[in-house]
Amino acid sequence: MPLPTAPTKRAALLSMKEYDVPARPKSKTQSPKVAVPAVADAKPAPETVNPQPPIQRPEPAKQGKAAAKRARPLKQTGLTKLFVLDTNVLLHDPTCLFRFEEHDVFLPMIVLEELDAHKKGMTEVARNGRQTSRTLDALAGQLSSDISQGLPLNTTGHVEAGGKLFFQTQLLHYALPDSLPQGKADNQILGVVEALKQQCAPREVVLVSKDINMRVKARALGLSSEDYQNDKTLEDGDLLYSGAYALPADFWGTHGKAVESWQQGAQTFYRVTGPVVPKLLINQFVYFEAPGEPSMYAKVIEIRNKTAVFKTLRDFTHLKNAIWGITTRNREQNFAMNLLMDPEVDFVTLTGTAGTGKTLMALASGLTQVLDERRYTEIIVTRATVSVGEDIGFLPGTEEEKMGPWMGALDDNLEVLGKTDTAAGEWGRAATNELIRSRIKIKSMNFMRGRTFLNKYVIIDEAQNLTPKQMKTLITRAGPGTKIICMGNIAQIDTPYLTEGSSGLTYAVDKFKGWPHSGHITLARGERSRLADFASEIL
């Protein structure tokens, strides 16, 4: 029933004939409804009908702008996608079911078969398979959930997942080329995607897989396929936080008038206000180098609103500040040594190519703080046991003896550090080596769960081969007074399905940047030898 005409005067009663107003005809401009098959439970775009024009009332001129802001058109949302997951995605990230926002997820029956075959064992893949199975059981066990109509993904507390989970509950008919073996699991998944594409048109059906060959075959068959991107911290490794910032050449000209400086011991402090402050983070290194002007190397120790405080660094390139007989050879190494020797920094990450001195500096600073300063009780060294080539099989001996072949880099650097004291003589160096060995413990990552390290100096080598979950497991082992150093080269990843953007080392660098008790530096120049530097550039 249409509304009666508005009264002409205030508090006036409407007559009976005002209610006999004929209904206005509906507008002919109406968007068509989209028909989607019920098998995929598609969510069509909201139907928009031009409403009847409201009764015009005079409005004050001041409210005109506010009314214009409120009268914005509604956003048109298209059809949601249907993502078909490969088994390797579930084994890579058990929480991937809740990472597709408002879109729906479909699991073929062959994926559940493969998931069941991978759940036995104590490896990371088997652990992820068991966790995925428990997640599926929790979703299917919810009350009033019909598996044929799809299981809502937000029933277990993941409110960010607005879609539904579908299982293959019926036989899907598809036709693949005869050149593809029908019994292979990958080809059966491709067939399911082909059948869903025909049933759910015009809805987009996308295959998500970590297998490159699987995605290539899908594209060759005209199917949409994507890599699983949610595990990537960064799209490109070049965007990784470097830990250092070069001040512009006109820094003193634009910021010089607002700079305050004072001396405290051997360090100089600068309070800076200006446009450069929003680009800085706590514990980030800043440096100023210009021809004809004095250089400045400092660390950001405080940021408040638009004001930052710089603290000059200790110069470890000078022989008087040598750490266990080692001096730094370039700017980035000096930055890294300032982080390693700072007792207020609990977590340090070092990245760089081969020969940049990561392990040598970490060991030298660890020995100084354990044996000379007595800040930590011992050094614990561990690394991911991922082979470059074929595995050499089972190894005899104790835990440390089994880890021996993986710790060749540790032995090489201890040999260098043992030769720094030239005045000790052969017997003195032998005694020093025995003392060093007694304070260094080599541990395997397989037995780290549940441990707590108190006042330890922990070195995690080759950290680029760790997944984000393994990195979290190791870092959370730290107790009071423990310092953790993670080192690695993200260009040398040997773990399957890990990339520069999804590595645990990249994950830790990105999440810890700006925390007052952590620091990161990317070592740029190799100092191993001229042969190693030349080989890393041209090979």
Side-chain angles (χ1 to χ4, degrees):
M1 177 181 173
L3 293 174
T5 310
T8 56
K9 294 187 293 184
R10 288 187 176 182
L13 294 175
L14 295 177
S15 61
M16 293 301 298
K17 65 179 182 179
E18 298 292 344
Y19 289 94
D20 299 331
V21 180
R24 298 180 183 178
K26 248 185 190 179
S27 177
K28 294 181 181 180
T29 58
Q30 184 174 353
S31 60
K33 294 183 179 179
V34 182
V36 181
V39 64
D41 194 29
K43 300 180 179 62
E47 182 183 357
T48 56
V49 180
N50 291 338
Q52 295 179 2
I55 301 171
Q56 300 292 331
R57 291 184 174 88
E59 201 172 43
K62 293 182 180 179
Q63 300 178 1
K65 293 184 179 179
K69 287 182 181 179
R70 289 195 300 267
R72 290 178 180 171
L74 292 175
K75 206 177 200 179
Q76 295 293 331
T77 57
L79 294 175
T80 58
K81 297 180 181 179
L82 181 64
F83 288 101
V84 182
L85 300 189
D86 195 1
T87 314
N88 49 43
V89 179
L90 297 169
L91 295 176
H92 178 72
D93 183 8
T95 62
C96 65
L97 295 171
F98 312 104
R99 307 292 187 185
F100 293 94
E101 298 179 347
E102 74 274 13
H103 305 287
D104 294 338
V105 176
F106 188 92
L107 293 183
M109 195 57 64
I110 189 64
V111 169
L112 298 179
E113 291 288 338
E114 287 192 306
L115 196 65
D116 185 66
H118 284 90
K119 69 180 184 181
K120 298 177 182 177
M122 298 303 296
T123 62
E124 188 72 18
V125 172
R127 195 174 293 113
N128 291 343
R130 291 192 293 270
Q131 184 176 343
T132 304
S133 300
R134 288 192 291 267
T135 302
L136 295 176
D137 181 63
L139 289 171
Q142 294 295 321
L143 297 177
S144 68
S145 57
D146 187 1
I147 197 168
S148 61
Q149 299 298 322
L151 305 175
L153 290 169
N154 57 2
T155 55
T156 57
H158 297 81
V159 294
E160 70 278 3
K164 290 185 177 181
L165 172 65
F166 292 90
F167 294 98
Q168 183 182 351
T169 57
Q170 59 183 350
L171 183 63
L172 298 176
H173 299 282
Y174 53 86
L176 290 178
D178 296 334
S179 58
L180 293 178
Q182 300 298 320
K184 193 174 181 182
D186 288 358
N187 298 332
Q188 293 185 39
I189 296 174
L190 291 174
V192 170
V193 177
E194 174 68 30
L196 291 175
K197 179 184 176 183
Q198 297 174 4
Q199 273 189 333
C200 302
R203 194 183 191 193
E204 186 178 0
V205 180
V206 183
L207 171 66
V208 181
S209 176
K210 298 292 292 182
D211 189 354
I212 298 176
N213 294 330
M214 180 82 160
R215 299 199 300 267
V216 171
K217 284 197 293 185
R219 294 189 183 104
L221 295 173
L223 305 175
S224 299
S225 63
E226 294 179 3
D227 188 10
Y228 181 64
Q229 303 285 345
N230 197 270
D231 62 331
K232 293 186 177 179
T233 307
L234 299 173
E235 291 294 331
D236 190 359
D238 295 334
L239 302 176
L240 185 64
Y241 170 63
S242 66
Y245 179 77
L247 297 175
D250 59 345
F251 172 73
W252 294 114
T254 56
H255 298 73
K257 295 182 180 179
V259 170
E260 303 177 24
S261 64
W262 66 93
Q263 194 86 10
Q264 185 174 341
Q267 269 78 33
T268 305
F269 294 82
Y270 298 91
R271 181 175 281 111
V272 179
T273 304
V276 76
V277 175
K279 304 175 184 178
L280 303 177
L281 294 170
I282 296 291
N283 282 347
Q284 186 177 15
F285 293 95
V286 294
Y287 60 94
F288 177 80
E289 294 176 342
E293 296 189 25
S295 300
M296 182 187 72
Y297 304 98
K299 184 175 71 171
V300 181
I301 62 171
E302 182 183 325
I303 295 178
R304 290 186 181 179
N305 298 328
K306 296 183 179 180
T307 303
V309 177
F310 297 166
K311 177 184 177 182
T312 56
L313 304 178
R314 188 177 175 187
D315 185 15
F316 289 102
T317 60
H318 201 279
L319 193 59
K320 68 177 182 179
N321 294 325
I323 301 299
W324 204 264
I326 300 296
T327 57
T328 57
R329 297 185 179 181
N330 56 53
R331 179 181 61 222
E332 284 77 18
Q333 283 189 353
N334 192 37
F335 293 164
M337 194 63 83
N338 275 273
L339 286 176
L340 294 170
M341 295 299 295
D342 190 351
E344 294 298 321
V345 177
D346 300 331
F347 183 70
V348 179
T349 50
L350 303 177
T351 59
T353 58
T356 50
K358 302 184 293 292
T359 309
L360 183 64
M361 289 191 298
L363 271 178
S365 60
L367 290 173
T368 299
Q369 295 176 87
V370 168
L371 296 176
D372 295 345
E373 300 178 2
R374 305 292 179 90
R375 188 175 297 158
Y376 309 104
T377 56
E378 63 181 0
I379 300 174
I380 294 178
V381 185
T382 185
R383 59 163 288 174
T385 54
V386 180
S387 303
V388 177
E390 293 292 331
D391 201 351
I392 60 175
F394 292 99
L395 299 171
T398 61
E399 179 186 354
E400 292 203 9
E401 291 172 347
K402 289 177 184 293
M403 291 292 295
W406 304 101
M407 290 299 169
L410 174 66
D411 297 332
D412 297 339
N413 286 281
L414 287 179
E415 184 180 352
V416 174
L417 295 173
K419 294 180 179 179
T420 54
D421 191 4
T422 56
E426 186 176 349
W427 286 99
R429 284 196 295 269
T432 303
N433 288 335
E434 289 296 325
L435 179 61
I436 290 174
R437 292 284 181 179
S438 66
R439 294 301 182 93
I440 297 180
K441 298 291 188 298
I442 301 172
K443 299 296 181 183
S444 174
M445 285 177 43
N446 301 333
F447 311 107
M448 287 293 184
R449 193 178 296 274
R451 296 199 60 183
T452 302
F453 297 128
L454 301 175
N455 296 319
K456 300 291 192 295
Y457 187 91
V458 183
I459 299 176
I460 305 174
D461 203 3
E462 303 295 333
Q464 78 276 2
N465 288 320
L466 300 177
T467 64
K469 187 176 179 181
Q470 290 173 325
M471 182 65 76
K472 178 182 178 181
T473 302
L474 289 177
I475 297 175
T476 52
R477 299 306 98 206
T482 293
K483 185 167 189 166
I484 295 182
I485 292 89
C486 290
M487 306 176 298
N489 179 15
I490 59 174
Q492 295 179 346
I493 297 178
D494 302 314
T495 305
Y497 299 134
L498 271 190
T499 60
E500 294 183 3
S502 61
S503 169
L505 181 58
T506 306
Y507 180 77
V509 171
D510 187 69
K511 296 298 182 182
F512 275 92
K513 65 181 180 183
W515 188 49
H517 302 287
S518 70
H520 168 74
I521 197 67
T522 300
L523 301 169
R525 200 173 75 193
E527 300 289 351
R528 179 170 289 166
S529 67
R530 58 190 179 188
L531 173 60
D533 296 343
F534 185 67
S536 62
E537 291 177 5
I538 66 166
L539 296 181

